[in-house]
Amino acid sequence: MLRAYLVDMTVLRDYSRALLGLGFFVAVCVSLGMQTSVMAPGLLAMMYLLLGVSGTNSFDDLNGWERLRLTMPLSRRDVVLARYGAIATLGLGGLALGLAAAVALGAVALFIPLPGELSSALALSEDALMGMVFSAGVLFAVGSLCAAVEVPLFFRFGNTRTTQYLPLVPLFVLLCPIIVAGGSGMIDESTLTVEGLAGALSLVWSPAGAAGCLIGLLALSAGSLALSAALSLKLYETREF
């Protein structure tokens, strides 16, 4: 599996380098536009997970690479697990890049007076750090769930056909469950008030609560990707080229 992972990361080398500058630029623009850097790590993690899915699979159709790869001393299991490893690596890289951008902006805000209230808005206070941890866990879980649905489609249908269906994946993963739950009465709309949401957030609005929430969300992400990998392996083992 390690050999296949290194092959995937070698293929993604130039693509990953190009994402570094783009990711930092996006993090800075998001932070300045929202006047807070709280969302930057989570947004970059989700963005890199989704870009990892499309990027790792986009090379399969080039010059018969998908068939050529199977002539190497790599099993189909190695190929599947390496693909998920590469996607997770990009997602974690996006999270680290977002944290680096938030720290850099916080340092700038600390030592350089910024226009308006940007200096205080970009400062890394305790509340900002807890919000950053919570939002990073939520958005990483959302990106993982989307990736968990998308990757098996690539292993079953290939890059060209699956790309046509990708816009429907967020609709299927995010909107459909909300619509079904709301229409069936599983969600009581009377509880979705500002006071109710504030009460729910107060349970995690502490260092211990934020850390526990992050661990739970990362476990959810890992579990969804593990189930997706098992499905992808079954689909890829039966696929004919």
Side-chain angles (χ1 to χ4, degrees), residues 129-179:
L129 290 174
M130 285 191 294
M132 192 178 297
V133 168
F134 180 73
S135 63
V138 171
L139 292 174
F140 194 93
V142 171
S144 298
L145 290 173
C146 290
V149 175
E150 292 175 0
V151 178
L153 298 177
F154 281 101
F155 281 114
R156 176 61 182 89
F157 300 109
N159 178 64
T160 302
R161 290 180 60 189
T162 302
T163 302
Q164 302 171 5
Y165 308 136
L166 284 185
L168 300 176
V169 172
L171 200 67
F172 175 76
V173 174
L174 300 176
L175 293 183
C176 287
I178 294 175
I179 294 173

Side-chain angles (χ1 to χ4, degrees), residues 15-203:
Y15 181 72
S16 302
R17 289 175 179 173
L19 289 180
L20 286 176
L22 173 63
F24 193 85
F25 176 76
V26 169
V28 171
C29 289
V30 167
S31 298
L32 294 178
M34 299 180 68
Q35 295 193 1
T36 177
S37 57
V38 167
M39 300 298 292
L43 286 173
L44 254 66
M46 183 175 68
M47 183 181 82
Y48 273 48
L49 281 168
L50 299 180
L51 288 175
V53 173
S54 59
T56 52
N57 290 281
S58 63
F59 295 95
D60 288 348
D61 290 346
L62 296 178
N63 302 318
W65 167 242
E66 192 170 21
R67 292 183 176 87
L68 176 63
R69 184 176 55 206
L70 294 179
T71 65
M72 299 179 178
L74 304 173
S75 66
R76 295 200 180 197
R77 179 179 181 276
D78 292 336
V79 171
V80 171
L81 296 182
R83 182 60 48 86
Y84 280 89
I87 292 169
T89 299
L90 287 178
L92 293 173
L95 181 62
L97 184 60
L99 287 172
V103 171
L105 287 172
V108 170
L110 181 63
F111 294 107
I112 300 176
L114 298 176
E117 299 181 354
L118 278 178
S119 293
S120 59
L122 296 177
L124 295 179
S125 63
E126 182 179 347
D127 285 345
L129 290 174
M130 285 191 294
M132 192 178 297
V133 168
F134 180 73
S135 63
V138 171
L139 292 174
F140 194 93
V142 171
S144 298
L145 290 173
C146 290
V149 175
E150 292 175 0
V151 178
L153 298 177
F154 281 101
F155 281 114
R156 176 61 182 89
F157 300 109
N159 178 64
T160 302
R161 290 180 60 189
T162 302
T163 302
Q164 302 171 5
Y165 308 136
L166 284 185
L168 300 176
V169 172
L171 200 67
F172 175 76
V173 174
L174 300 176
L175 293 183
C176 287
I178 294 175
I179 294 173
V180 171
S184 62
M186 296 174 63
I187 297 178
D188 186 0
E189 296 181 0
S190 63
T191 63
L192 298 179
T193 61
V194 175
E195 293 78 8
L197 293 175
L201 288 175
S202 66
L203 297 176

